[in-house]
Coordinates of all heavy atoms in Angstrom, one line a residue:
M1 N 127.7 94.9 188.1 CA 127.0 93.7 187.8 C 127.9 92.8 186.9 O 128.4 93.3 185.9 CB 125.7 94.0 187.0 CG 124.7 94.8 187.8 SD 124.0 93.9 189.1 CE 122.8 92.9 188.3
P2 N 128.0 91.5 187.2 CA 128.9 90.7 186.3 C 128.1 90.2 185.1 O 127.6 89.1 185.0 CB 129.2 89.5 187.3 CG 128.1 89.5 188.3 CD 127.6 90.9 188.4
L3 N 128.0 91.1 184.1 CA 127.3 90.8 182.9 C 128.3 90.4 181.8 O 129.2 91.2 181.5 CB 126.5 92.0 182.4 CG 125.4 91.8 181.4 CD1 124.3 90.8 181.9 CD2 124.8 93.1 181.0
F4 N 128.2 89.2 181.3 CA 129.2 88.7 180.3 C 128.6 88.3 179.0 O 127.4 88.1 178.9 CB 129.9 87.5 180.9 CG 130.8 87.8 182.1 CD1 130.3 87.5 183.4 CD2 132.1 88.3 181.9 CE1 131.1 87.8 184.5 CE2 132.9 88.5 183.0 CZ 132.4 88.3 184.3
D5 N 129.4 88.4 177.9 CA 128.9 88.0 176.6 C 129.2 86.5 176.4 O 130.3 86.0 176.8 CB 129.6 88.8 175.5 CG 129.3 90.2 175.5 OD1 128.1 90.5 175.9 OD2 130.1 91.1 175.2
F6 N 128.3 85.8 175.8 CA 128.4 84.4 175.5 C 128.1 84.1 174.0 O 127.3 84.9 173.4 CB 127.5 83.5 176.4 CG 127.8 83.5 177.8 CD1 127.3 84.5 178.7 CD2 128.7 82.6 178.3 CE1 127.7 84.5 180.0 CE2 129.1 82.6 179.6 CZ 128.5 83.5 180.5
E7 N 128.6 83.0 173.5 CA 128.3 82.6 172.1 C 127.9 81.1 172.1 O 128.5 80.3 172.8 CB 129.5 82.8 171.2 CG 129.2 82.4 169.8 CD 130.4 82.6 168.9 OE1 131.5 82.8 169.4 OE2 130.2 82.6 167.6
C8 N 126.8 80.9 171.4 CA 126.3 79.5 171.3 C 127.2 78.8 170.2 O 127.3 79.3 169.1 CB 124.9 79.4 170.9 SG 124.2 77.8 170.7
E9 N 127.8 77.6 170.5 CA 128.6 76.9 169.5 C 127.7 76.2 168.5 O 128.3 75.8 167.5 CB 129.5 76.0 170.3 CG 130.5 76.7 171.1 CD 131.4 75.8 171.9 OE1 131.2 74.5 171.9 OE2 132.4 76.3 172.5
D10 N 126.4 76.0 168.8 CA 125.6 75.3 167.8 C 125.0 76.3 166.8 O 125.0 76.0 165.6 CB 124.5 74.6 168.6 CG 125.0 73.4 169.3 OD1 126.1 72.9 169.0 OD2 124.4 73.0 170.3
C11 N 124.4 77.4 167.3 CA 123.7 78.3 166.3 C 124.4 79.6 166.1 O 124.0 80.3 165.2 CB 122.2 78.6 166.8 SG 122.1 79.6 168.3
G12 N 125.4 79.9 166.8 CA 126.2 81.1 166.7 C 125.6 82.3 167.3 O 126.2 83.4 167.1
K13 N 124.5 82.2 168.0 CA 123.9 83.4 168.7 C 124.8 83.9 169.7 O 125.4 83.2 170.5 CB 122.6 82.9 169.3 CG 121.9 83.9 170.2 CD 121.0 84.8 169.5 CE 120.2 85.7 170.6 NZ 119.7 86.8 170.0
I14 N 125.0 85.3 169.7 CA 125.8 86.0 170.8 C 124.8 86.6 171.7 O 123.9 87.4 171.2 CB 126.8 87.0 170.2 CG1 127.8 86.2 169.3 CG2 127.4 87.8 171.2 CD1 128.8 87.1 168.6
F15 N 124.9 86.4 173.0 CA 124.0 87.0 174.0 C 124.8 87.3 175.2 O 125.9 86.9 175.4 CB 122.8 86.0 174.3 CG 123.3 84.7 174.9 CD1 123.3 84.4 176.2 CD2 123.8 83.7 174.0 CE1 123.7 83.2 176.7 CE2 124.2 82.4 174.5 CZ 124.2 82.2 175.9
D16 N 124.1 88.2 176.1 CA 124.8 88.5 177.3 C 123.9 88.0 178.5 O 122.7 87.8 178.3 CB 125.0 90.0 177.5 CG 123.8 90.9 177.2 OD1 122.8 90.3 176.8 OD2 123.8 92.1 177.5
E17 N 124.6 87.6 179.5 CA 124.0 86.9 180.7 C 124.6 87.3 182.0 O 125.9 87.6 182.0 CB 124.1 85.4 180.4 CG 123.4 84.6 181.4 CD 121.9 84.5 181.2 OE1 121.4 84.6 180.0 OE2 121.1 84.4 182.2
L18 N 123.9 87.5 183.0 CA 124.4 87.7 184.3 C 125.1 86.4 184.8 O 124.5 85.3 184.8 CB 123.3 88.0 185.3 CG 123.6 88.5 186.7 CD1 124.4 89.8 186.6 CD2 122.4 88.7 187.5
F19 N 126.4 86.5 185.1 CA 127.2 85.3 185.4 C 128.2 85.6 186.5 O 128.9 86.7 186.5 CB 127.9 85.0 184.1 CG 128.7 83.7 184.2 CD1 128.1 82.5 184.2 CD2 130.1 83.7 184.2 CE1 128.8 81.3 184.3 CE2 130.8 82.6 184.3 CZ 130.2 81.4 184.3
F20 N 128.3 84.7 187.4 CA 129.3 84.8 188.5 C 130.4 83.9 188.3 O 130.2 82.8 187.8 CB 128.6 84.6 189.9 CG 127.5 85.6 190.2 CD1 126.2 85.3 189.8 CD2 127.8 86.8 190.7 CE1 125.2 86.2 190.1 CE2 126.8 87.7 191.0 CZ 125.5 87.4 190.7
E21 N 131.6 84.3 188.7 CA 132.8 83.5 188.5 C 132.8 82.1 189.1 O 133.3 81.1 188.5 CB 134.1 84.2 189.0 CG 134.4 85.5 188.3 CD 134.8 85.3 186.9 OE1 135.4 84.3 186.6 OE2 134.6 86.2 186.1
E22 N 132.1 81.9 190.2 CA 132.1 80.6 190.9 C 131.2 79.6 190.1 O 131.2 78.4 190.3 CB 131.6 80.7 192.3 CG 130.2 81.3 192.5 CD 130.2 82.8 192.7 OE1 131.2 83.4 192.6 OE2 129.1 83.3 193.0
D23 N 130.4 80.1 189.1 CA 129.6 79.2 188.3 C 130.3 78.8 187.0 O 129.7 78.5 186.0 CB 128.3 79.9 187.9 CG 127.4 80.3 189.1 OD1 127.6 79.6 190.1 OD2 126.6 81.2 189.0
E24 N 131.6 78.7 187.0 CA 132.4 78.5 185.8 C 132.0 77.2 185.1 O 132.0 77.1 183.9 CB 133.9 78.4 186.2 CG 134.8 78.6 185.0 CD 134.7 80.0 184.4 OE1 134.7 81.0 185.1 OE2 134.7 80.0 183.1
D25 N 131.6 76.1 185.8 CA 131.2 74.9 185.2 C 129.7 74.9 184.8 O 129.2 74.0 184.0 CB 131.3 73.7 186.2 CG 132.8 73.5 186.5 OD1 133.7 73.8 185.7 OD2 133.1 73.0 187.7
D26 N 129.0 75.9 185.2 CA 127.5 76.0 184.9 C 127.2 77.2 184.0 O 126.6 78.1 184.3 CB 126.8 76.2 186.3 CG 125.4 75.8 186.2 OD1 125.0 75.0 185.3 OD2 124.6 76.2 187.2
L27 N 127.7 77.1 182.7 CA 127.5 78.1 181.7 C 126.0 78.2 181.3 O 125.3 77.2 181.4 CB 128.3 77.8 180.5 CG 129.8 78.0 180.7 CD1 130.6 77.6 179.4 CD2 130.2 79.3 181.1
P28 N 125.5 79.4 181.0 CA 124.1 79.5 180.6 C 123.7 78.8 179.3 O 124.5 78.6 178.4 CB 123.9 81.0 180.5 CG 125.2 81.5 180.2 CD 126.2 80.6 180.8
F29 N 122.4 78.5 179.2 CA 121.9 77.9 178.0 C 121.6 79.0 176.9 O 121.4 80.2 177.3 CB 120.6 77.2 178.2 CG 120.8 75.9 179.0 CD1 120.6 75.9 180.4 CD2 121.1 74.7 178.4 CE1 120.8 74.8 181.2 CE2 121.3 73.6 179.2 CZ 121.1 73.6 180.5
C30 N 121.7 78.7 175.7 CA 121.4 79.6 174.6 C 119.9 80.0 174.6 O 119.1 79.1 174.6 CB 121.8 79.0 173.2 SG 121.4 80.0 171.8
P31 N 119.6 81.3 174.6 CA 118.2 81.7 174.5 C 117.5 81.4 173.2 O 116.3 81.3 173.1 CB 118.2 83.2 174.8 CG 119.6 83.6 174.4 CD 120.5 82.4 174.6
A32 N 118.3 81.2 172.1 CA 117.7 81.0 170.8 C 117.4 79.5 170.6 O 116.3 79.2 170.2 CB 118.6 81.5 169.7
C33 N 118.3 78.6 170.8 CA 118.1 77.2 170.5 C 118.1 76.3 171.7 O 117.8 75.1 171.6 CB 119.2 76.7 169.5 SG 120.9 76.6 170.2
G34 N 118.4 76.9 172.9 CA 118.4 76.1 174.1 C 119.6 75.2 174.3 O 119.6 74.4 175.3
S35 N 120.6 75.3 173.5 CA 121.8 74.5 173.6 C 122.6 74.8 174.9 O 122.7 75.9 175.3 CB 122.7 74.7 172.4 OG 123.9 74.0 172.5
A36 N 123.3 73.8 175.5 CA 124.1 74.0 176.6 C 125.6 74.2 176.2 O 126.4 74.5 177.0 CB 124.0 72.8 177.5
R37 N 125.8 74.1 174.9 CA 127.2 74.3 174.4 C 127.4 75.8 174.1 O 127.4 76.3 173.0 CB 127.4 73.5 173.1 CG 127.4 72.0 173.3 CD 127.5 71.2 172.0 NE 128.0 72.0 170.9 CZ 129.1 71.8 170.2 NH1 130.0 70.8 170.6 NH2 129.5 72.5 169.2
T38 N 127.7 76.5 175.2 CA 128.0 78.0 175.1 C 129.4 78.2 175.6 O 129.9 77.5 176.4 CB 127.0 78.8 175.9 OG1 127.0 78.4 177.2 CG2 125.6 78.7 175.3
K39 N 130.0 79.3 175.1 CA 131.3 79.7 175.6 C 131.3 81.2 176.0 O 130.6 82.0 175.3 CB 132.4 79.4 174.6 CG 132.3 80.1 173.3 CD 133.5 79.7 172.4 CE 133.3 80.4 171.1 NZ 134.4 80.1 170.2
R40 N 132.1 81.5 177.0 CA 132.1 82.9 177.4 C 133.1 83.7 176.5 O 134.2 83.2 176.2 CB 132.6 83.0 178.8 CG 132.4 84.4 179.4 CD 132.5 84.4 180.9 NE 133.9 84.8 181.2 CZ 134.4 84.9 182.4 NH1 133.7 84.6 183.4 NH2 135.7 85.3 182.5
L41 N 132.7 84.9 176.0 CA 133.6 85.7 175.1 C 134.3 86.7 176.0 O 133.9 87.1 177.1 CB 132.7 86.4 174.1 CG 131.9 85.5 173.1 CD1 131.1 86.3 172.2 CD2 132.9 84.6 172.3
L42 N 135.4 87.2 175.4 CA 136.1 88.3 176.0 C 135.3 89.6 175.8 O 135.1 90.0 174.6 CB 137.5 88.4 175.4 CG 138.4 89.5 176.0 CD1 138.7 89.1 177.5 CD2 139.8 89.5 175.3
S43 N 134.8 90.2 176.8 CA 134.0 91.4 176.7 C 134.8 92.7 176.7 O 135.8 92.8 177.4 CB 132.9 91.4 177.8 OG 132.2 90.2 177.8
V44 N 134.3 93.7 176.1 CA 134.9 95.0 176.2 C 134.3 95.7 177.4 O 133.1 95.7 177.6 CB 134.5 95.9 174.9 CG1 135.0 97.3 175.0 CG2 134.9 95.2 173.6
P45 N 135.2 96.3 178.2 CA 134.7 97.0 179.5 C 133.9 98.2 179.1 O 134.1 98.8 178.1 CB 136.0 97.3 180.2 CG 137.1 97.3 179.2 CD 136.7 96.4 178.1
G46 N 133.0 98.5 180.0 CA 132.1 99.7 179.9 C 133.0 101.0 180.2 O 134.0 100.9 180.8
P47 N 132.5 102.1 179.7 CA 133.2 103.4 180.0 C 133.1 103.7 181.5 O 132.1 103.5 182.1 CB 132.5 104.4 179.2 CG 131.1 103.8 179.0 CD 131.3 102.3 179.0
V48 N 134.2 104.3 182.0 CA 134.3 104.7 183.4 C 133.9 106.2 183.4 O 134.5 107.0 182.7 CB 135.7 104.5 183.9 CG1 135.8 105.1 185.4 CG2 136.1 103.0 183.9
K49 N 132.9 106.5 184.2 CA 132.5 107.9 184.3 C 133.3 108.6 185.4 O 133.0 108.3 186.6 CB 131.0 108.0 184.6 CG 130.2 107.4 183.5 CD 128.7 107.4 183.8 CE 127.9 106.6 182.8 NZ 126.5 106.6 183.1
K50 N 134.2 109.5 185.1 CA 135.0 110.1 186.1 C 134.5 111.6 186.4 O 134.8 112.1 187.4 CB 136.4 110.2 185.6 CG 137.1 108.9 185.5 CD 138.6 109.1 185.2 CE 139.2 107.7 185.1 NZ 140.6 107.8 184.8
N51 N 133.7 112.1 185.5 CA 133.3 113.5 185.6 C 131.8 113.5 185.6 O 131.1 112.8 184.8 CB 133.8 114.3 184.4 CG 133.8 115.7 184.6 OD1 133.3 116.2 185.6 ND2 134.4 116.5 183.6
P52 N 131.1 114.3 186.4 CA 129.7 114.3 186.5 C 129.0 114.9 185.2 O 127.9 114.5 184.9 CB 129.3 115.1 187.7 CG 130.5 115.9 188.0 CD 131.7 115.1 187.5
F53 N 129.7 115.7 184.5 CA 129.1 116.3 183.3 C 129.4 115.4 182.1 O 130.4 114.9 182.0 CB 129.8 117.7 183.1 CG 129.2 118.4 181.9 CD1 127.9 119.0 182.0 CD2 129.8 118.4 180.6 CE1 127.4 119.6 180.9 CE2 129.2 119.0 179.6 CZ 128.0 119.6 179.7
P54 N 128.5 115.1 181.3 CA 127.1 115.6 181.2 C 126.1 114.7 181.8 O 124.9 114.7 181.5 CB 126.9 115.7 179.7 CG 127.7 114.5 179.2 CD 128.9 114.4 180.1
Y55 N 126.5 113.8 182.7 CA 125.6 112.8 183.3 C 124.9 113.5 184.5 O 125.4 114.2 185.3 CB 126.5 111.6 183.9 CG 127.4 111.1 182.8 CD1 128.7 111.3 182.8 CD2 126.8 110.3 181.8 CE1 129.5 110.8 181.9 CE2 127.7 109.8 180.8 CZ 129.0 110.0 180.9 OH 129.8 109.5 179.9
K56 N 123.6 113.2 184.6 CA 122.8 113.7 185.6 C 123.0 112.9 186.9 O 122.8 111.6 186.8 CB 121.3 113.7 185.2 CG 120.4 114.3 186.2 CD 119.0 114.4 185.8 CE 118.1 115.0 186.8 NZ 116.7 115.1 186.4
I57 N 123.3 113.5 188.0 CA 123.7 112.7 189.2 C 122.4 112.2 189.8 O 122.3 111.1 190.3 CB 124.4 113.7 190.2 CG1 125.7 114.2 189.5 CG2 124.7 112.9 191.5 CD1 126.7 113.1 189.1
G58 N 121.4 113.0 189.9 CA 120.2 112.5 190.6 C 119.1 113.6 190.5 O 119.2 114.6 189.8
P59 N 118.0 113.4 191.3 CA 117.0 114.4 191.2 C 117.4 115.8 191.8 O 118.2 115.8 192.7 CB 115.9 113.8 192.1 CG 116.5 112.8 192.9 CD 117.7 112.3 192.2
V60 N 116.9 116.8 191.2 CA 117.3 118.2 191.6 C 116.3 118.6 192.7 O 115.1 118.4 192.6 CB 117.2 119.1 190.4 CG1 117.4 120.6 190.9 CG2 118.1 118.7 189.3
N61 N 116.9 119.1 193.8 CA 116.1 119.6 194.9 C 115.5 121.0 194.5 O 116.3 122.0 194.4 CB 116.9 119.7 196.2 CG 116.1 120.2 197.4 OD1 115.1 120.7 197.2 ND2 116.7 119.9 198.5
Q62 N 114.2 121.1 194.2 CA 113.7 122.3 193.7 C 113.8 123.5 194.7 O 113.9 124.6 194.3 CB 112.2 122.1 193.3 CG 111.6 123.2 192.5 CD 112.4 123.5 191.2 OE1 112.7 122.6 190.5 NE2 112.7 124.7 190.9
A63 N 113.7 123.2 196.0 CA 113.8 124.2 197.0 C 115.2 124.9 196.9 O 115.3 126.1 197.1 CB 113.5 123.7 198.4
F64 N 116.2 124.0 196.7 CA 117.6 124.6 196.6 C 117.7 125.5 195.4 O 118.3 126.6 195.4 CB 118.6 123.4 196.5 CG 120.0 123.9 196.3 CD1 120.7 124.4 197.3 CD2 120.6 123.8 195.1 CE1 122.0 124.9 197.1 CE2 121.9 124.2 194.8 CZ 122.6 124.8 195.9
V65 N 117.1 125.0 194.2 CA 117.2 125.8 193.0 C 116.5 127.1 193.2 O 117.0 128.2 192.8 CB 116.6 125.0 191.8 CG1 116.5 125.9 190.6 CG2 117.4 123.8 191.5
D66 N 115.3 127.1 193.9 CA 114.6 128.3 194.1 C 115.4 129.3 195.0 O 115.4 130.5 194.8 CB 113.2 128.0 194.8 CG 112.3 127.3 193.9 OD1 112.5 127.3 192.6 OD2 111.3 126.7 194.4
N67 N 116.1 128.8 196.1 CA 116.9 129.6 196.9 C 118.0 130.2 196.1 O 118.4 131.4 196.3 CB 117.4 128.8 198.1 CG 116.4 128.6 199.2 OD1 115.5 129.4 199.3 ND2 116.7 127.7 200.1
V68 N 118.7 129.5 195.3 CA 119.8 130.0 194.5 C 119.3 131.1 193.6 O 119.9 132.2 193.5 CB 120.4 128.9 193.6 CG1 121.4 129.5 192.6 CG2 121.1 127.9 194.5
R69 N 118.1 130.9 192.9 CA 117.6 132.0 192.0 C 117.2 133.2 192.8 O 117.4 134.3 192.4 CB 116.3 131.4 191.3 CG 116.7 130.4 190.2 CD 115.6 130.0 189.4 NE 116.0 129.0 188.4 CZ 115.3 128.0 188.0 NH1 114.1 127.8 188.4 NH2 115.8 127.2 187.0
R70 N 116.6 133.0 194.0 CA 116.2 134.2 194.9 C 117.5 135.0 195.3 O 117.5 136.2 195.2 CB 115.5 133.7 196.1 CG 114.1 134.1 196.2 CD 113.4 133.7 197.5 NE 112.6 132.5 197.2 CZ 112.7 131.3 197.7 NH1 113.7 131.1 198.6 NH2 112.0 130.3 197.4
N71 N 118.6 134.2 195.6 CA 119.8 134.9 196.0 C 120.4 135.6 194.8 O 121.0 136.7 195.0 CB 120.8 133.9 196.6 CG 120.5 133.7 198.1 OD1 119.9 134.5 198.7 ND2 120.9 132.5 198.6
E72 N 120.4 135.0 193.6 CA 120.9 135.7 192.4 C 120.1 137.0 192.2 O 120.7 138.0 191.8 CB 120.8 134.8 191.2 CG 121.8 133.7 191.3 CD 121.6 132.6 190.2 OE1 120.6 132.7 189.5 OE2 122.6 131.8 190.0
A73 N 118.8 137.0 192.4 CA 118.0 138.2 192.2 C 118.4 139.2 193.2 O 118.5 140.4 193.0 CB 116.5 137.8 192.2
R74 N 118.6 138.8 194.5 CA 118.9 139.7 195.6 C 120.3 140.4 195.3 O 120.5 141.6 195.5 CB 119.0 139.0 196.9 CG 117.6 138.6 197.4 CD 117.8 137.7 198.7 NE 118.2 138.6 199.8 CZ 117.3 139.1 200.7 NH1 116.0 138.9 200.5 NH2 117.7 139.8 201.7
I75 N 121.2 139.6 194.8 CA 122.6 140.1 194.5 C 122.5 141.1 193.3 O 123.1 142.2 193.3 CB 123.6 139.0 194.2 CG1 123.8 138.2 195.5 CG2 124.9 139.5 193.6 CD1 124.6 136.9 195.3
A76 N 121.6 140.8 192.3 CA 121.5 141.7 191.2 C 120.9 143.0 191.6 O 121.2 144.1 191.0 CB 120.6 141.0 190.2
R77 N 120.0 143.0 192.7 CA 119.4 144.3 193.2 C 120.4 145.0 194.2 O 120.0 146.0 194.7 CB 118.1 143.9 193.9 CG 117.0 143.5 193.0 CD 115.7 143.4 193.7 NE 115.7 142.6 194.9 CZ 115.2 141.4 195.0 NH1 114.7 140.8 194.0 NH2 115.3 140.7 196.2
G78 N 121.5 144.4 194.5 CA 122.5 145.0 195.4 C 122.2 144.6 196.8 O 122.8 145.3 197.7
E79 N 121.4 143.7 197.1 CA 121.1 143.3 198.5 C 122.0 142.1 198.9 O 122.6 141.5 198.1 CB 119.6 142.8 198.5 CG 118.6 143.9 198.2 CD 117.2 143.3 198.2 OE1 117.0 142.2 198.6 OE2 116.3 144.1 197.7
K80 N 122.0 141.9 200.2 CA 122.8 140.8 200.8 C 122.1 139.5 200.5 O 120.9 139.4 200.8 CB 123.0 141.1 202.3 CG 123.9 140.1 203.0 CD 124.1 140.5 204.4 CE 124.9 139.5 205.1 NZ 125.1 139.7 206.5
P81 N 122.8 138.5 200.1 CA 122.2 137.2 199.8 C 121.7 136.5 201.1 O 122.4 136.7 202.2 CB 123.2 136.3 199.1 CG 124.5 137.0 199.5 CD 124.2 138.4 199.7
A82 N 120.7 135.7 201.1 CA 120.2 135.0 202.2 C 121.1 133.7 202.4 O 121.8 133.3 201.5 CB 118.7 134.6 202.0
C83 N 121.0 133.1 203.6 CA 121.7 131.9 203.9 C 121.1 130.8 203.1 O 119.9 130.6 203.0 CB 121.5 131.6 205.4 SG 122.3 130.0 205.9
T84 N 122.0 130.1 202.4 CA 121.6 129.0 201.5 C 121.7 127.6 202.1 O 121.5 126.6 201.5 CB 122.3 129.0 200.2 OG1 123.7 128.9 200.5 CG2 122.1 130.3 199.4
S85 N 122.1 127.5 203.4 CA 122.4 126.2 204.0 C 121.1 125.5 204.3 O 121.0 124.3 204.3 CB 123.2 126.4 205.3 OG 122.5 127.1 206.2
C86 N 120.0 126.3 204.5 CA 118.7 125.6 204.7 C 117.6 126.6 204.4 O 117.8 127.8 204.5 CB 118.5 125.0 206.1 SG 118.6 126.3 207.4
A87 N 116.4 126.1 204.1 CA 115.3 127.0 203.7 C 114.6 127.7 204.9 O 114.1 128.7 204.8 CB 114.2 126.1 202.9
S88 N 114.7 127.0 206.1 CA 114.0 127.6 207.2 C 115.0 128.2 208.2 O 114.7 128.4 209.4 CB 113.2 126.5 207.9 OG 114.0 125.5 208.4
C89 N 116.2 128.6 207.8 CA 117.2 129.2 208.6 C 116.8 130.5 209.2 O 116.2 131.3 208.5 CB 118.5 129.2 207.9 SG 119.9 129.9 208.8
S90 N 117.2 130.9 210.4 CA 116.8 132.2 211.0 C 117.6 133.3 210.2 O 117.1 134.4 210.2 CB 117.2 132.2 212.4 OG 118.6 132.0 212.6
H91 N 118.7 133.0 209.5 CA 119.4 134.0 208.7 C 118.5 134.4 207.6 O 118.5 135.6 207.2 CB 120.7 133.4 208.2 CG 121.7 133.1 209.2 ND1 122.0 131.8 209.5 CD2 122.4 133.8 210.1 CE1 122.9 131.7 210.5 NE2 123.1 133.0 210.9
N92 N 117.7 133.5 207.0 CA 116.9 133.8 205.9 C 115.8 134.8 206.3 O 115.5 135.8 205.6 CB 116.2 132.6 205.3 CG 117.1 131.8 204.5 OD1 118.1 132.3 203.9 ND2 116.8 130.5 204.3
V93 N 115.2 134.6 207.5 CA 114.2 135.5 208.0 C 114.8 136.9 208.3 O 114.2 137.9 207.9 CB 113.6 134.9 209.3 CG1 112.6 135.9 209.9 CG2 112.9 133.6 209.0
A94 N 116.0 136.9 208.9 CA 116.6 138.2 209.2 C 117.0 138.9 207.9 O 116.9 140.1 207.8 CB 117.9 138.0 210.0
N95 N 117.5 138.2 206.9 CA 118.0 138.8 205.6 C 116.8 139.2 204.8 O 116.9 140.2 204.0 CB 118.9 137.8 204.8 CG 120.2 137.7 205.4 OD1 120.7 138.6 206.2 ND2 120.9 136.6 205.1
Q96 N 115.7 138.6 204.9 CA 114.5 139.0 204.1 C 113.9 140.3 204.6 O 113.3 141.0 203.8 CB 113.5 137.9 204.1 CG 113.9 136.7 203.3 CD 112.9 135.5 203.4 OE1 111.9 135.6 204.1 NE2 113.2 134.4 202.7
D97 N 114.1 140.6 205.9 CA 113.5 141.8 206.4 C 114.4 143.0 206.0 O 113.9 144.1 206.0 CB 113.4 141.7 207.9 CG 112.4 140.7 208.3 OD1 111.5 140.3 207.5 OD2 112.5 140.1 209.5
S98 N 115.7 142.8 205.8 CA 116.6 143.9 205.5 C 116.6 144.4 204.1 O 116.1 143.8 203.2 CB 118.0 143.6 205.9 OG 118.5 142.4 205.2

């Protein structure tokens, strides 16, 4: 998102605004005093997230978590783990019987 920092030359208020480069002549108005005399400031870039940890990627599939826990329990008991590629796989049925 092209979010930039602006400063009002009349009241000194610093604010951020969604702004596109092609609107260079059409700077936003100050939200505090309504002045059109604003200037774009040099903004600090946001951090780049290169590693998923400690950021949560998305919702957790509870069925997958349950399958992983079931397989960990099976391995702890010395049994062969079930297929984890899908919940309704024929391998799961065959492995649950053994």
Side-chain angles (χ1 to χ4, degrees):
M1 296 292 283
L3 195 63
F4 293 98
D5 294 327
F6 292 91
E7 181 180 13
C8 177
E9 294 179 350
D10 291 337
C11 70
K13 167 92 173 158
I14 296 177
F15 60 98
D16 51 353
E17 186 77 31
L18 187 63
F19 183 75
F20 297 94
E21 295 291 331
E22 60 267 7
D23 298 338
E24 198 66 45
D25 297 331
D26 204 17
L27 294 177
F29 290 94
C30 175
C33 68
S35 173
R37 293 178 14 115
T38 57
K39 64 179 178 180
R40 194 169 95 182
L41 300 175
L42 184 61
S43 302
V44 177
V48 176
K49 298 177 186 176
K50 293 184 179 181
N51 198 353
F53 182 79
Y55 308 105
K56 185 175 179 182
I57 300 301
V60 176
N61 183 341
Q62 192 60 44
F64 176 76
V65 173
D66 292 342
N67 279 341
V68 169
R69 288 185 180 147
R70 249 186 255 117
N71 277 335
E72 288 173 347
R74 291 174 72 93
I75 292 169
R77 291 190 306 258
E79 299 174 11
K80 186 176 177 184
C83 176
T84 57
S85 62
C86 63
S88 62
C89 182
S90 62
H91 297 113
N92 285 337
V93 175
N95 285 339
Q96 288 174 357
D97 295 336
S98 57

